[in-house]
Amino acid sequence: MSIKYVPTGNEYISLPELNQETGEIHSISFLSMKRKGMLLITGLEDQPFIKPFITGDASNLTFTDYSLEKYWIPTLNGSFENGVFNMTVLTPLEEKGFILRFKLKAHSDLNISTGLDITFGNIINCINESKPLRGKSFCYKSPWNDNLIFDFDCGGPEFSFAPMTNFPCSTSFTESTISITDSRTGITDSKNIIKARLSTNLKLRADEEQELVFYFGLGYEEVSAATSAKEMLRQSYQIELDRTASWLSNRIIEMKSPKLSRIFNQNLFFCIFYSTGLTFDTEERVLTTSRSPRYYVSAAYWDRDSMLWSFPAILDVDPVLAREALTHVFRRQSQNIGTHSRYIDGSILEPGFELDELVAPVIALYNYTKKTNDQDFLQKSFVKDSIDLIIRKLGSRRDYKTRLYSTFLQPTDDEINYPYLCYDNVLVWKALNCLSELYPEKASTLSSEAMLLKESILKNFTFTDKDGNSYFGWSIDLKGNHDIYDEPPGSLQLLNYYGFCESDDQTWLNTVKMIRSKDYKYSFFNSPIAEIGCPHAPYPWVLSLCNSLLCGYADKALKELELLEMDNGIACESIDPNDGHSMTGDAFATCAGFLCHSILVSQKGDTTR
């Protein structure tokens, strides 16, 4: 049985692997511009990074359930022999750190020892693939926090973390060396491992409640890590909790059912804190597919994922954060817009041109401007320069005879069958119209181009089946060939959502019906989760459920959503067609955003702030 994790985090720190059944924190992660991605601190294969313990007159610490304050702050509820125990994990806003609060209550007088075991094990550099970072770990006592400091050094400081407590705390640590063999290269390296214990002895009286708080600070080196912890200690747990809970409350949207509210808001905060973040070293806002190592292409940037999926949800609840996201794209990512995937610093990770990714930032910029009327942002030189670059790149992909635009990769990032995709060209049509409205000085040329493109799409992508029903083909080669196909990450079902056709357009309705029918190869028509898959992941996609919410099948999709387990409630790539548990792509943060936006659009007036 797979482990069920409850993710939480803030702008700086992610806790992607909090085990709801044991209270163990298997890892923490943070973004590093220096490393072009994400660093992950883990324990060892059989030993978590942080583990709560209790000994003495009490034993058998177990957790039975958990709750989420404001849909994001987890408290694990459990018990020990002759008492009850709960642990709250708080990642305070604007702090480089996290807090663990224990609350203990005994049923009889007890003498116990409790605290945390820390295994400072592997340091992983996550950018799509997870690979160990070679260096040396250190642990020592420091006057800066009257506790332990943990350092990782790669020829100079890489990072440090430091615990502090609101109670007298005993500390101890040991160091050992183990051999680790890289399964890919076969290379064996020695690795020093540090094990530490933070503990205190308590005399608990019957029915007396005790509270213990551990503060963990992160920094570049000893001083910044220790003072990050000290700042939270000085502020106090309650103030940090109240401030964070207030921020979350201002963004919560309640739905018409408790489960839908839970799905929406937990995924909303997962999107906000796992598809965006601040690098711990340069403190710069960046965008990622996911800050969880459990997602198979974590800590990298895709225009499509960030601008078409996570951005709409962020804009729905936090326009200020949306502006920061656009700033990252038009400043850091602009030179390689349209390239398959990039590092968080904007340089190319995976080459390959994708038409949907080239125009995705334009559509996001348009939606942001319509919601905020932020004309100042439109006139920023880095925005206008990026728009000019996008227009030039578009020109290089245009067939001047048909005025259609080609791509090399499909929305799944897989190679095309034919180079001209209907969905992609509709996105170009949308982007041209957006630009003509945003920049009136370009309107004449761009709106004319958009009109001619729409005519060409209707002419070249409309086909007729054996019964005389018209439909849109997926892709064409301009030589008479086309294919009948669809992909959840870029579906023909969204043509109405992007305004290309009306909801009663018969060609579009026929296309949607054909894609969803029992005769379509990747349709799960007769399953409880009757969504669409594709070869990239041959199961129903959560993104397909999003498409259903937006293309006229909202009632059915909402019923399916109530059935879904996904990744312990968090959006994933694909799901089992019968019970909705995750099949591929756990912890898919940008998908979580599009799920939230799709729910919100489908609910319209059935929500409250």
Side-chain angles (χ1 to χ4, degrees), residues 50-54 100 102 113-119 139-141 145-150 161-165 167-173 195-201 212-216:
I50 296 175
K51 180 178 182 177
F53 71 86
I54 190 166
L100 304 181
F102 290 2
S113 177
T114 188
L116 299 172
D117 284 327
I118 299 173
T119 301
C139 185
Y140 51 94
K141 291 195 173 183
N145 62 337
D146 297 321
N147 207 300
L148 300 178
I149 297 285
F150 298 83
F161 68 92
M164 292 189 74
T165 61
F167 57 90
C169 181
S170 298
T171 63
S172 63
F173 66 91
K195 295 186 179 181
R197 170 164 281 198
L198 312 180
S199 65
T200 189
N201 296 320
L212 306 174
V213 185
F214 302 82
Y215 301 86
F216 283 84

Side-chain angles (χ1 to χ4, degrees), residues 317-593:
V317 299
D318 196 333
V320 173
L321 179 57
R323 193 182 203 267
E324 292 180 20
L326 288 175
T327 299
H328 169 70
V329 173
F330 286 111
R331 269 191 171 149
R332 271 284 188 181
Q333 299 290 345
S334 61
Q335 67 180 2
N336 291 311
I337 284 176
T339 303
H340 182 176
S341 68
R342 277 102 74 193
Y343 298 101
I344 60 173
D345 67 359
S347 57
I348 293 174
L349 172 57
E350 298 170 273
F353 177 76
E354 301 195 33
L355 187 57
D356 60 336
E357 301 216 55
L358 179 62
V359 296
V362 173
I363 296 170
L365 177 65
Y366 176 82
N367 290 333
Y368 168 77
T369 306
K370 291 292 104 180
K371 185 177 181 71
T372 66
N373 196 31
D374 186 354
Q375 297 297 318
D376 175 67
F377 189 78
L378 282 179
Q379 301 307 319
K380 297 289 186 184
S381 60
F382 63 85
V383 175
K384 297 182 79 172
D385 289 346
S386 298
I387 294 301
D388 288 342
L389 178 61
I390 290 170
I391 292 172
R392 290 198 300 272
K393 286 187 175 183
L394 270 176
S396 72
R397 307 300 303 194
R398 182 173 56 192
D399 174 72
Y400 280 85
K401 182 178 180 180
T402 64
R403 310 195 83 87
L404 295 176
Y405 295 80
S406 65
T407 189
F408 178 68
L409 298 175
Q410 303 191 116
T412 51
D413 302 323
D414 297 330
E415 198 167 345
I416 54 171
N417 190 13
Y418 303 121
Y420 298 91
L421 271 63
C422 182
Y423 168 81
D424 280 9
N425 275 271
V426 167
L427 287 189
V428 175
W429 168 84
K430 174 72 174 177
L432 291 172
N433 280 311
C434 289
L435 288 174
S436 68
E437 188 173 336
L438 293 176
Y439 296 100
E441 67 274 18
K442 302 177 186 289
S444 177
T445 300
L446 295 176
S447 60
S448 175
E449 180 62 27
M451 181 182 66
L452 292 171
L453 176 57
K454 182 169 186 176
E455 291 175 357
S456 185
I457 292 170
L458 293 173
K459 176 183 177 181
N460 288 284
F461 286 98
T462 302
F463 299 90
T464 305
D465 67 14
K466 58 182 177 58
D467 297 320
N469 298 312
S470 61
Y471 64 90
F472 290 116
W474 171 256
S475 70
I476 61 175
D477 64 359
L478 305 184
K479 298 177 182 178
N481 297 306
H482 81 283
D483 55 354
I484 298 173
Y485 178 63
D486 199 63
E487 289 187 343
S491 176
L492 294 171
Q493 296 181 87
L494 296 181
L495 266 54
N496 171 250
Y497 168 72
Y498 284 114
F500 183 78
C501 59
E502 299 298 327
S503 59
D504 61 354
D505 182 277
Q506 196 58 54
T507 301
W508 176 68
L509 289 172
N510 292 342
T511 305
V512 173
K513 183 179 179 181
M514 182 168 57
I515 292 167
R516 304 178 70 90
S517 76
K518 66 179 184 302
D519 298 323
Y520 180 61
K521 183 177 181 179
Y522 300 105
S523 170
F524 289 82
F525 178 84
N526 291 318
S527 302
I529 314 298
E531 294 300 335
I532 311 302
C534 65
H536 191 87
Y539 309 99
W541 282 51
V542 173
L543 284 169
S544 176
L545 190 148
C546 299
N547 299 338
S548 295
L549 288 167
L550 296 170
C551 76
Y553 290 81
D555 290 344
K556 189 174 189 303
L558 288 169
K559 290 177 182 177
E560 291 175 344
L561 195 55
E562 294 276 350
L563 301 175
L564 298 194
E565 169 67 16
M566 296 188 289
D567 175 23
N568 202 21
I570 297 294
C572 54
E573 181 182 64
S574 69
I575 49 182
D576 182 274
N578 296 306
D579 62 14
H581 75 265
S582 176
M583 295 299 291
T584 63
D586 289 343
F588 192 174
T590 52
C591 177

